[in-house]
PDB file of all heavy atoms in Angstrom:
ATOM      1  N   LEU C 755      -1.354  18.980  26.350  1.00 98.00           N
ATOM      2  CA  LEU C 755      -1.322  18.315  27.705  1.00 98.00           C
ATOM      3  C   LEU C 755      -0.070  18.656  28.452  1.00 98.00           C
ATOM      4  O   LEU C 755      -0.059  18.934  29.576  1.00 98.00           O
ATOM      5  CB  LEU C 755      -1.515  16.768  27.576  1.00 98.00           C
ATOM      6  CG  LEU C 755      -1.562  15.965  28.873  1.00 98.00           C
ATOM      7  CD1 LEU C 755      -2.716  16.460  29.696  1.00 98.00           C
ATOM      8  CD2 LEU C 755      -1.555  14.449  28.683  1.00 98.00           C
ATOM      9  N   HIS C 775      -3.898  12.623  38.750  1.00 98.00           N
ATOM     10  CA  HIS C 775      -4.112  13.136  37.479  1.00 98.00           C
ATOM     11  C   HIS C 775      -4.800  12.173  36.545  1.00 98.00           C
ATOM     12  O   HIS C 775      -4.192  11.016  36.172  1.00 98.00           O
ATOM     13  CB  HIS C 775      -2.765  13.635  36.787  1.00 98.00           C
ATOM     14  CG  HIS C 775      -2.911  14.211  35.422  1.00 98.00           C
ATOM     15  ND1 HIS C 775      -1.941  14.669  34.660  1.00 98.00           N
ATOM     16  CD2 HIS C 775      -4.084  14.377  34.590  1.00 98.00           C
ATOM     17  CE1 HIS C 775      -2.264  15.081  33.407  1.00 98.00           C
ATOM     18  NE2 HIS C 775      -3.530  14.934  33.418  1.00 98.00           N
ATOM     19  N   SER C 777      -5.958  11.272  33.112  1.00 98.00           N
ATOM     20  CA  SER C 777      -5.736  12.027  31.790  1.00 98.00           C
ATOM     21  C   SER C 777      -6.493  11.199  30.697  1.00 98.00           C
ATOM     22  O   SER C 777      -6.140  10.091  30.385  1.00 98.00           O
ATOM     23  CB  SER C 777      -4.091  11.775  31.559  1.00 98.00           C
ATOM     24  OG  SER C 777      -3.831  12.183  30.347  1.00 98.00           O
ATOM     25  N   ILE C 781      -3.298  10.677  23.597  1.00 97.00           N
ATOM     26  CA  ILE C 781      -1.979  11.033  23.310  1.00 97.00           C
ATOM     27  C   ILE C 781      -1.040   9.792  23.249  1.00 97.00           C
ATOM     28  O   ILE C 781      -1.520   8.754  23.325  1.00 97.00           O
ATOM     29  CB  ILE C 781      -1.439  11.865  24.646  1.00 97.00           C
ATOM     30  CG1 ILE C 781      -1.656  10.936  25.958  1.00 97.00           C
ATOM     31  CG2 ILE C 781      -2.197  13.111  24.797  1.00 97.00           C
ATOM     32  CD1 ILE C 781      -0.862  11.304  27.114  1.00 97.00           C
ATOM     33  N   ALA C 786       2.626   9.788  28.126  1.00 98.00           N
ATOM     34  CA  ALA C 786       1.965   9.441  29.376  1.00 98.00           C
ATOM     35  C   ALA C 786       2.906   8.792  30.311  1.00 98.00           C
ATOM     36  O   ALA C 786       2.906   9.269  31.461  1.00 98.00           O
ATOM     37  CB  ALA C 786       0.918   8.190  28.935  1.00 98.00           C
ATOM     38  N   LEU C 789       4.868  11.909  31.741  1.00 98.00           N
ATOM     39  CA  LEU C 789       4.187  12.594  32.700  1.00 98.00           C
ATOM     40  C   LEU C 789       4.058  11.839  34.052  1.00 98.00           C
ATOM     41  O   LEU C 789       4.155  12.417  35.139  1.00 98.00           O
ATOM     42  CB  LEU C 789       2.796  13.056  32.176  1.00 98.00           C
ATOM     43  CG  LEU C 789       2.936  14.087  31.046  1.00 98.00           C
ATOM     44  CD1 LEU C 789       1.432  14.340  30.515  1.00 98.00           C
ATOM     45  CD2 LEU C 789       3.537  15.407  31.496  1.00 98.00           C
ATOM     46  N   ALA C 790       3.772  10.487  33.830  1.00 98.00           N
ATOM     47  CA  ALA C 790       3.684   9.718  35.096  1.00 98.00           C
ATOM     48  C   ALA C 790       4.909   9.846  35.906  1.00 98.00           C
ATOM     49  O   ALA C 790       4.826   9.928  37.186  1.00 98.00           O
ATOM     50  CB  ALA C 790       3.496   8.214  34.689  1.00 98.00           C
ATOM     51  N   HIS C 793       4.977  13.107  37.800  1.00 98.00           N
ATOM     52  CA  HIS C 793       3.994  12.984  38.854  1.00 98.00           C
ATOM     53  C   HIS C 793       4.604  12.257  40.096  1.00 98.00           C
ATOM     54  O   HIS C 793       4.656  12.720  41.162  1.00 98.00           O
ATOM     55  CB  HIS C 793       2.739  12.462  38.476  1.00 98.00           C
ATOM     56  CG  HIS C 793       1.813  13.426  37.891  1.00 98.00           C
ATOM     57  ND1 HIS C 793       1.048  14.318  38.597  1.00 98.00           N
ATOM     58  CD2 HIS C 793       1.406  13.588  36.554  1.00 98.00           C
ATOM     59  CE1 HIS C 793       0.339  15.068  37.701  1.00 98.00           C
ATOM     60  NE2 HIS C 793       0.469  14.566  36.560  1.00 98.00           N
ATOM     61  N   THR C 798       2.550  12.688  43.412  1.00 98.00           N
ATOM     62  CA  THR C 798       1.157  12.644  42.960  1.00 98.00           C
ATOM     63  C   THR C 798       1.193  11.512  42.002  1.00 98.00           C
ATOM     64  O   THR C 798       2.167  10.876  41.649  1.00 98.00           O
ATOM     65  CB  THR C 798       0.805  14.008  42.247  1.00 98.00           C
ATOM     66  OG1 THR C 798       1.776  14.262  41.142  1.00 98.00           O
ATOM     67  CG2 THR C 798       0.762  15.088  43.221  1.00 98.00           C
ATOM     68  N   GLU C 799      -0.045  11.242  41.483  1.00 98.00           N
ATOM     69  CA  GLU C 799      -0.126  10.038  40.504  1.00 98.00           C
ATOM     70  C   GLU C 799      -0.810  10.318  39.243  1.00 98.00           C
ATOM     71  O   GLU C 799      -1.652  11.355  39.122  1.00 98.00           O
ATOM     72  CB  GLU C 799      -0.828   8.946  41.259  1.00 98.00           C
ATOM     73  CG  GLU C 799      -0.170   8.380  42.503  1.00 98.00           C
ATOM     74  CD  GLU C 799      -0.602   6.972  42.952  1.00 98.00           C
ATOM     75  OE1 GLU C 799      -0.106   6.119  42.168  1.00 98.00           O
ATOM     76  OE2 GLU C 799      -1.357   6.851  43.832  1.00 98.00           O
ATOM     77  N   TYR C 800      -0.514   9.445  38.274  1.00 98.00           N
ATOM     78  CA  TYR C 800      -1.075   9.717  36.927  1.00 98.00           C
ATOM     79  C   TYR C 800      -1.695   8.483  36.502  1.00 98.00           C
ATOM     80  O   TYR C 800      -1.188   7.454  36.533  1.00 98.00           O
ATOM     81  CB  TYR C 800       0.106   9.982  36.008  1.00 98.00           C
ATOM     82  CG  TYR C 800      -0.197  10.138  34.538  1.00 98.00           C
ATOM     83  CD1 TYR C 800      -0.314  11.449  33.951  1.00 98.00           C
ATOM     84  CD2 TYR C 800      -0.458   9.138  33.683  1.00 98.00           C
ATOM     85  CE1 TYR C 800      -0.618  11.726  32.604  1.00 98.00           C
ATOM     86  CE2 TYR C 800      -0.865   9.311  32.392  1.00 98.00           C
ATOM     87  CZ  TYR C 800      -0.919  10.603  31.886  1.00 98.00           C
ATOM     88  OH  TYR C 800      -1.304  10.905  30.476  1.00 98.00           O
ATOM     89  N   VAL C 801      -3.077   8.593  36.184  1.00 98.00           N
ATOM     90  CA  VAL C 801      -3.801   7.403  35.587  1.00 98.00           C
ATOM     91  C   VAL C 801      -4.135   7.790  34.220  1.00 98.00           C
ATOM     92  O   VAL C 801      -4.765   8.694  33.820  1.00 98.00           O
ATOM     93  CB  VAL C 801      -5.147   7.252  36.287  1.00 98.00           C
ATOM     94  CG1 VAL C 801      -5.916   6.120  35.666  1.00 98.00           C
ATOM     95  CG2 VAL C 801      -4.633   6.919  37.953  1.00 98.00           C
ATOM     96  N   ALA C 802      -3.763   6.762  33.213  1.00 98.00           N
ATOM     97  CA  ALA C 802      -4.174   7.035  31.787  1.00 98.00           C
ATOM     98  C   ALA C 802      -5.518   6.570  31.757  1.00 98.00           C
ATOM     99  O   ALA C 802      -5.985   5.451  32.281  1.00 98.00           O
ATOM    100  CB  ALA C 802      -3.290   6.195  30.930  1.00 98.00           C
ATOM    101  N   SER C 822      -4.973   2.541  32.685  1.00 98.00           N
ATOM    102  CA  SER C 822      -3.840   1.941  33.029  1.00 98.00           C
ATOM    103  C   SER C 822      -2.968   2.788  34.183  1.00 98.00           C
ATOM    104  O   SER C 822      -3.225   4.033  34.045  1.00 98.00           O
ATOM    105  CB  SER C 822      -2.960   1.612  31.881  1.00 98.00           C
ATOM    106  OG  SER C 822      -2.646   2.662  31.084  1.00 98.00           O
ATOM    107  N   GLY C 823      -2.326   2.267  34.894  1.00 98.00           N
ATOM    108  CA  GLY C 823      -1.551   3.003  35.937  1.00 98.00           C
ATOM    109  C   GLY C 823      -1.568   2.173  37.173  1.00 98.00           C
ATOM    110  O   GLY C 823      -2.101   0.992  37.343  1.00 98.00           O
ATOM    111  N   SER C 824      -1.218   2.924  38.450  1.00 96.00           N
ATOM    112  CA  SER C 824      -1.068   2.093  39.672  1.00 96.00           C
ATOM    113  C   SER C 824      -2.556   1.862  40.211  1.00 96.00           C
ATOM    114  O   SER C 824      -3.503   2.530  40.079  1.00 96.00           O
ATOM    115  CB  SER C 824      -0.558   3.006  40.689  1.00 96.00           C
ATOM    116  OG  SER C 824      -1.426   3.898  41.297  1.00 96.00           O
ATOM    117  N   VAL C 849       1.559   2.586  32.501  1.00 97.00           N
ATOM    118  CA  VAL C 849       0.646   3.753  32.318  1.00 97.00           C
ATOM    119  C   VAL C 849       0.482   3.985  30.772  1.00 97.00           C
ATOM    120  O   VAL C 849      -0.611   4.526  30.452  1.00 97.00           O
ATOM    121  CB  VAL C 849       1.150   5.021  33.085  1.00 97.00           C
ATOM    122  CG1 VAL C 849       2.114   5.642  32.200  1.00 97.00           C
ATOM    123  CG2 VAL C 849       0.036   5.778  33.658  1.00 97.00           C
ATOM    124  N   ASN C 853      -3.143   4.119  26.487  1.00 98.00           N
ATOM    125  CA  ASN C 853      -3.088   4.916  25.335  1.00 98.00           C
ATOM    126  C   ASN C 853      -2.746   4.159  24.085  1.00 98.00           C
ATOM    127  O   ASN C 853      -3.270   4.483  23.014  1.00 98.00           O
ATOM    128  CB  ASN C 853      -1.875   5.906  25.660  1.00 98.00           C
ATOM    129  CG  ASN C 853      -2.081   6.854  26.816  1.00 98.00           C
ATOM    130  OD1 ASN C 853      -1.576   6.731  27.864  1.00 98.00           O
ATOM    131  ND2 ASN C 853      -2.956   7.714  26.528  1.00 98.00           N
TER     132      ASN C 853
END
Side-chain angles (χ1 to χ4, degrees):
Chain C
L755 183 61
H775 178 180
S777 177
I781 57 162
L789 290 179
H793 277 284
T798 54
E799 296 204 76
Y800 180 98
V801 173
S822 55
S824 86
V849 89
N853 298 103

